[in-house]
Amino acid sequence: MSMPNDEATDVQLTHEQLLAKAVSVLESDTQTDTSLLKILSEYIVKQNPKSTAVSDAVRKIEALAQKRAEESEDAPPDHD
Amino acid sequence: MPHPITIEAFKLEGFRAYLRPQTVYLCRGKTPLSLAIFAPNAKGKSGLVDALEYYFSEDATLARLGKRQAQTHAGPLAMEHVDAEKSGIAPAVHIWFRQDNDKFDEARLVSKSVTTAPPFADAATRVLSNIKLPFIIRGYELRSFVEKDTPEDRYKDIVFWFALDPLLTIQQNLRALRREVKKKAESKTEENERLRDLKQTTKDAIETWDETKLCGWFNINVLAPLDESLSLTSLSAEDNQYQELVNRKAAMDKQLGVATLNQFTAHIEALFVSSEKQEDEPKGKIVVFENAVAAYAAAFTREAEERAKASQAVFNDVWASAKRVFEDTKTDFGNCPVCDTALTSTLHGSREKILVGLETKLTKLAAYRMAEGDLKNATKALEDALRDLIAGLGSVISSLQDAGYGDKTKWISAYLESLKSWKTGDSAPSSEEAVKELKTLFALVTVERERIEEQQGDHTYTNALKVVDDLIQIKSHLNRIHRTKTELQALHAELNRQALVINKAIVEHTQNLIGKLQESVDSLYKDIQGGDGNAPPILFQLPGEDDTNQQRVQLLIDFAENRKGVIPTGYLSDSQIHTLALALRLSAIRMFNEGVPIIVLDDVVTSYDADHRKNIAAMLAKHFDDFQIILVSHDEQFFNLLQDHLSSAKWVFRRITKIEPKFGPRFHDHRTPDEVIQAKLDADESAATEMRQAEEEWLLDICRGFGVKVVIRSVDRPFQFERSGCVGSDRMR
């Protein structure tokens, strides 16, 4: 029986290599929101993520949205 | 390519059903042997496979038993034979391996602890470093794959078989993250809270944000009673009418004397503020001063201590120079170069100890210098705090006189005087009475201000400004909430896009893997199923972006030209799906585990009829002749087929005939050693049981040598004896 055994193919990639490749595809795309990708890489797209990975990433994404919202927000009135 | 690793033997002791040590040998000289074991159900055959799974399990358990004991899982506790402890047996699994001429072995103990797994054997680590995929195939896993309800569950199985579960975790986390971010982007909780504030501010008149409507409401209900000529056109601090409102409030405050009262309360708050919350520390210039006095006292004490320790600070330069001399190991000297005393006669007694002494003295000097610096800083901070406090008290007394409370400053003035005569280093003068007086005055002024404002009624410029400020604040909050939601929605869309790219990469990886195996799978599938039909190609599909299931991957097959991408159930029979799974696993192990050509098969033929079982036996002989296979089955017909198809030069065939509670499973070729009988007799103990066993074993061996099928009589009713029930002759060769 002949068995396929092409060591140069993608099937031999380690998980880290596969994930790094997927992330680099996104990084090379100018449309990619790199801040979001950084959050994904730090919490989700990694080997052995923490059990709190999803909630941690949600918090980070919320904070990112708030920061972006506040950057264009008017300061509230202040007088006395 | 390194030499492959094979198993030479493995021993179970106090593990699962195996109480007494039993060793299974898998080699003849250097030649590895495959093993087929037949046993009826519940006779301990799966315990052998369990031992192998346990040995390589990071969590020291079996997949089907779970990591911890619970109502749903037996956990690691189930590894140990229930009588092991009572019998003084340390439960363990021991495996002997060979890699060419290199033999290595190690035992892994079994622990009842559900929190700490017994150490992972180095031998297991070495083996696992040479393989990529789990090499134990359980029949129940294949049956489960057949019975799975959803294509997604089948995808999960395949991901596990191909050791891609970390990638599956990523996919699941991405899905959960998308769901959570979407929920946050769509949440109205915060917005509803602000709209409740709006309703309250407008006295239930307006419930949703409509600026034109709000301005109208404000102009009619708040501004018109004050001055009909005033009219806000927008809720903004930039609005001209808003500025007019601010000016009118200031003028009104001045006219009513409120401005002075405000100034006075501001001065008091600069001196002392005590929050209503107990956990909040008081603030203000008085507190700053008192803290500075305490910090100065601490720094003063510390400096004095360090100064005492470094009282010989004058010798700093001498010590530093001497240290350099003593550190220079190239120069040898017997007398001290500083005082010319013999080193042995000095206080320290040796060159090394003198060096340590010098370092200690220099360290003390460094600590002194630091304490001295701290004291200087504390002195400066104290001087600043005192100056600020004296100025602040002067302002309060002055504004009190302006507000007509000049006769109520007795304690404050006394406190001021005590500060003026206070000297650095003294205790801080008591501020207690002054603080009491400040609080009383603050309350008096607040009451007075409220009285004045109350006299003006509801329609005041102060109230009007407060309402418009509240509305501007709500507007600002709602704008921020809206902008945050917009940003979150954009991030959610981008998250979907990025997740799709990552998911696609993972799915394509799995798909490529399956593609690479297709030729091998076809070959195995045909040999097991019989006929010419290839295995149906498997494909993994990601549903569309709008899919409410958030991209659950599905396992589908191309069944025919006009039935592509269909769910296997409904097109393939159970045995075909079973074969597809078995062929996939065998092909993958063959591709990825070249360094360890071992496959363990636990009852994998239960879904098959007699023809298919025969095909499996033939398939193993044809395709896996170069593998070491450990196969257990409760199917005697299959076991016999294996004996017919597989070379006895490479295979060992063993039967488990019974299970003894005080021993464990008994193999048909089990021997009660003469040494055991002799040891009993030497110890003046009865050896009747052992002798009977030895006779039975001898007799059974003779019978099997003639090809007689021997059925062991059940021991639960020993008084009943039917000759036909004990010995059969249905398999005469």
Side-chain angles (χ1 to χ4, degrees):
Chain A
M1 185 175 73
S2 67
M3 295 294 299
N5 188 21
D6 180 0
E7 291 201 353
T9 60
D10 280 357
V11 296
Q12 299 286 356
L13 288 178
T14 64
H15 295 162
E16 285 91 346
Q17 287 168 332
L18 174 72
L19 297 174
K21 198 175 162 190
V23 169
S24 75
V25 167
L26 284 165
E27 277 170 346
S28 63
D29 183 347
T30 52
Q31 302 292 311
T32 294
D33 183 332
T34 49
S35 301
L36 177 65
L37 182 59
K38 203 174 156 197
I39 294 171
L40 287 188
S41 302
E42 192 177 342
Y43 294 94
I44 307 289
V45 188
K46 61 189 286 192
Q47 289 264 66
N48 306 316
K50 279 198 224 168
S51 58
T52 56
V54 173
S55 52
D56 291 346
V58 170
R59 267 197 296 279
K60 284 278 178 184
I61 291 172
E62 266 191 298
L64 180 62
Q66 275 164 10
K67 188 181 160 216
R68 288 177 177 177
E70 280 164 14
E71 277 167 2
S72 56
E73 191 175 32
D74 295 329
D78 182 20
H79 57 81
D80 227 338
Chain B
M1 175 76 190
H3 287 278
I5 296 174
T6 54
I7 296 175
E8 292 215 309
F10 61 104
K11 184 170 86 172
L12 292 72
E13 186 171 9
F15 182 86
R16 306 287 287 155
Y18 292 76
L19 180 61
R20 298 291 166 189
Q22 292 216 55
T23 305
V24 179
Y25 294 95
L26 290 169
C27 65
R28 194 173 290 131
K30 282 187 179 180
T31 309
L33 296 175
S34 290
L35 170 71
I37 292 177
F38 159 74
N41 283 328
K43 290 287 185 286
K45 65 182 182 308
S46 287
L48 296 169
V49 179
D50 291 347
L52 295 168
E53 184 181 341
Y54 170 81
Y55 194 78
F56 293 104
S57 161
E58 204 171 315
D59 300 315
T61 185
L62 307 179
R64 69 176 191 278
L65 299 186
K67 289 182 191 175
R68 58 184 62 233
Q69 193 181 13
Q71 286 190 324
T72 49
H73 289 95
L77 188 65
M79 297 300 111
E80 182 180 315
H81 191 288
V82 289
D83 289 335
E85 195 172 346
K86 193 171 67 181
S87 308
I89 289 170
V93 174
H94 194 145
I95 305 185
W96 286 260
F97 298 95
R98 174 186 279 275
Q99 187 171 25
D100 195 23
N101 289 324
D102 182 15
K103 294 166 84 165
F104 57 101
D105 70 279
E106 198 171 342
R108 188 183 199 190
L109 295 174
V110 172
S111 163
K112 279 190 281 193
S113 167
V114 293
T115 51
T116 315
F120 203 58
D122 289 343
T125 306
R126 177 168 163 184
V127 173
L128 289 178
S129 68
N130 283 277
I131 66 172
K132 288 188 177 170
L133 304 185
F135 55 79
I136 298 174
I137 304 177
R138 302 271 197 176
Y140 67 81
E141 291 171 349
L142 302 178
R143 286 195 294 281
S144 168
F145 184 77
V146 173
E147 290 158 8
K148 291 284 189 223
D149 289 335
T150 68
E152 188 204 1
D153 287 339
R154 289 204 174 109
Y155 168 73
K156 283 183 188 169
D157 274 356
I158 294 223
V159 160
F160 177 72
W161 296 341
F162 288 0
L164 299 174
D165 25 334
L167 300 179
L168 183 66
T169 303
I170 290 170
Q171 288 180 301
Q172 286 169 337
N173 282 348
L174 276 174
R175 202 159 64 214
L177 182 64
R178 293 178 61 196
R179 201 169 44 235
E180 289 302 310
V181 173
K182 185 166 188 263
K183 208 190 287 175
K184 295 276 180 190
E186 290 172 353
S187 168
K188 286 189 173 289
T189 309
E190 214 183 339
E191 187 182 350
N192 288 341
E193 279 173 14
R194 296 292 81 76
L195 291 177
R196 268 199 297 277
D197 292 345
L198 177 68
K199 196 177 164 192
Q200 198 179 354
T201 305
T202 59
K203 299 182 169 56
D204 295 340
I206 297 172
E207 294 183 0
T208 55
W209 188 264
D210 180 334
E211 193 156 334
T212 310
K213 214 170 160 182
L214 276 162
C215 285
W217 172 86
F218 181 74
N219 292 335
I220 293 167
N221 296 283
V222 183
L223 281 187
L226 290 166
D227 183 347
E228 286 186 351
S229 69
L230 286 174
S231 172
L232 276 185
T233 52
S234 67
L235 289 166
S236 163
E238 309 303 318
D239 190 292
N240 290 336
Q241 295 288 287
Y242 176 88
Q243 287 304 326
E244 179 60 25
L245 206 50
V246 171
N247 295 339
R248 289 198 185 190
K249 178 197 177 273
M252 184 63 75
D253 282 353
K254 198 169 178 183
Q255 187 189 338
L256 296 171
V258 173
T260 309
L261 296 178
N262 284 344
Q263 191 187 22
F264 171 64
T265 50
H267 283 147
I268 289 183
E269 284 181 326
L271 284 177
F272 188 86
V273 181
S274 67
S275 168
E276 288 174 4
K277 291 180 188 170
Q278 281 193 335
E279 63 269 24
D280 290 348
E281 294 286 324
K283 294 174 188 166
K285 291 176 180 177
I286 292 176
V287 176
V288 171
F289 170 70
E290 288 175 348
N291 288 343
V293 171
Y296 171 82
F300 183 83
T301 307
R302 174 94 178 126
E303 190 271 349
E305 285 170 3
E306 292 301 332
R307 183 153 31 87
K309 285 184 203 167
S311 56
Q312 292 172 303
V314 68
F315 293 118
N316 182 39
D317 291 344
V318 177
W319 288 336
S321 304
K323 183 167 175 271
R324 279 196 292 278
V325 172
F326 276 82
E327 279 175 339
D328 178 15
T329 51
K330 287 176 189 164
T331 313
D332 198 15
F333 46 82
N335 284 7
C336 173
V338 179
C339 61
D340 202 29
T341 309
L343 290 176
T344 49
S345 304
T346 59
L347 183 65
H348 292 295
S350 72
R351 178 174 177 164
E352 291 73 25
K353 286 182 181 170
I354 291 171
L355 186 57
V356 172
L358 285 169
E359 280 169 350
T360 309
K361 287 181 195 311
L362 288 167
T363 307
K364 282 179 183 170
L365 280 176
Y368 167 66
R369 276 196 292 274
M370 189 180 284
E372 193 184 33
D374 289 348
L375 180 59
K376 270 185 192 165
N377 292 338
T379 308
K380 171 80 171 53
L382 179 57
E383 286 167 1
D384 291 348
L386 178 65
R387 194 170 47 250
D388 267 10
L389 180 54
I390 289 174
L393 285 165
S395 299
V396 164
I397 292 167
S398 167
S399 57
L400 271 171
Q401 284 164 351
D402 290 350
Y405 295 101
D407 57 336
K408 298 185 189 303
T409 63
K410 179 185 161 192
W411 292 106
I412 299 169
S413 299
Y415 182 55
L416 178 60
E417 289 310 312
S418 65
L419 286 171
K420 282 179 180 172
S421 59
W422 183 80
K423 296 278 181 290
T424 304
D426 293 349
S427 306
S430 170
S431 61
E432 195 179 341
E433 294 301 327
V435 166
K436 268 189 204 166
E437 202 165 62
L438 283 168
K439 284 181 178 175
T440 307
L441 284 164
F442 188 87
L444 274 175
V445 172
T446 305
V447 168
E448 177 62 11
R449 187 173 54 193
E450 284 171 358
R451 188 188 62 76
I452 294 169
E453 285 172 354
E454 209 170 292
Q455 277 179 350
Q456 306 310 306
D458 287 340
H459 299 295
T460 64
Y461 288 111
T462 302
N463 282 347
L465 196 60
K466 185 176 181 312
V467 171
V468 76
D469 279 350
D470 285 349
L471 291 174
I472 290 173
Q473 190 80 33
I474 292 169
K475 178 184 175 181
S476 168
H477 284 170
L478 285 172
N479 279 344
R480 185 181 49 76
I481 292 165
H482 176 72
R483 274 195 289 268
T484 305
K485 281 179 79 169
T486 306
E487 293 293 344
L488 262 180
Q489 279 158 4
L491 281 166
H492 179 247
E494 172 64 2
L495 174 63
N496 286 348
R497 193 184 72 83
Q498 293 189 11
L500 187 66
V501 171
I502 294 159
N503 254 328
K504 263 187 180 166
I506 294 173
V507 170
E508 278 171 15
H509 179 71
T510 316
Q511 187 76 65
N512 284 342
L513 222 147
I514 298 285
K516 286 277 169 195
L517 296 172
Q518 191 65 47
E519 192 186 337
S520 164
V521 171
D522 281 345
S523 178
L524 298 181
Y525 185 88
K526 265 191 273 192
D527 283 348
I528 298 172
Q529 286 301 120
D532 297 326
N534 277 342
I538 288 173
L539 59 137
F540 299 113
Q541 192 179 72
L542 282 167
E545 262 300 275
D546 55 345
D547 187 85
T548 51
N549 279 336
Q550 302 282 308
Q551 287 184 225
R552 287 171 193 265
V553 183
Q554 304 201 89
L555 183 149
L556 305 170
I557 56 163
D558 284 344
F559 182 69
E561 273 304 308
N562 59 349
R563 291 290 185 278
K564 290 197 167 183
V566 293
I567 293 170
T569 314
Y571 290 91
L572 298 179
S573 70
D574 284 359
S575 85
Q576 285 172 316
I577 298 174
H578 195 280
T579 301
L580 190 59
L582 181 60
L584 260 176
R585 292 211 61 186
L586 288 170
S587 300
I589 290 170
R590 186 179 186 88
M591 176 184 267
F592 289 103
N593 290 2
E594 283 178 318
V596 186
I598 297 172
I599 296 175
V600 180
L601 300 167
D602 179 15
D603 255 341
V604 294
V605 297
T606 48
S607 295
Y608 292 119
D609 58 23
D611 285 344
H612 283 86
R613 290 173 198 189
K614 191 171 141 191
N615 292 345
I616 294 244
M619 179 274 294
L620 289 175
K622 179 179 171 186
H623 295 284
F624 292 92
D625 192 44
D626 52 346
F627 266 68
Q628 183 177 41
I629 293 171
I630 297 167
L631 183 153
V632 299
S633 177
H634 72 271
D635 186 322
E636 191 168 15
Q637 191 188 22
F638 177 56
F639 182 75
N640 292 333
L641 283 167
L642 290 171
Q643 284 183 297
D644 291 342
H645 280 83
L646 301 171
S647 161
S648 59
K650 290 188 173 179
W651 280 77
V652 180
F653 299 93
R654 300 185 73 189
R655 294 164 180 268
I656 296 174
T657 53
K658 60 182 173 181
I659 187 163
E660 291 175 8
K662 291 187 177 175
F663 180 83
R666 289 281 194 193
F667 285 88
H668 74 280
D669 50 0
H670 172 81
R671 292 282 179 278
T672 304
D674 289 347
E675 293 77 21
V676 171
I677 297 169
Q678 192 59 52
K680 284 250 176 187
L681 294 173
D682 290 347
D684 267 350
E685 290 176 11
S686 166
T689 304
E690 287 72 18
M691 290 172 74
R692 181 181 55 77
Q693 274 179 359
E695 283 170 3
E696 279 176 7
E697 287 158 11
W698 171 78
L699 185 59
L700 284 170
D701 207 27
I702 297 286
C703 291
R704 288 193 178 110
F706 283 109
V708 176
K709 180 182 176 186
V710 177
V711 178
I712 306 298
R713 176 162 56 89
S714 169
V715 293
D716 56 346
R717 300 171 73 191
F719 49 86
Q720 287 194 347
F721 181 79
E722 292 291 337
R723 179 175 292 274
S724 61
C726 291
V727 180
S729 57
D730 58 338
R731 194 171 176 274
M732 298 291 286
R733 283 175 193 264

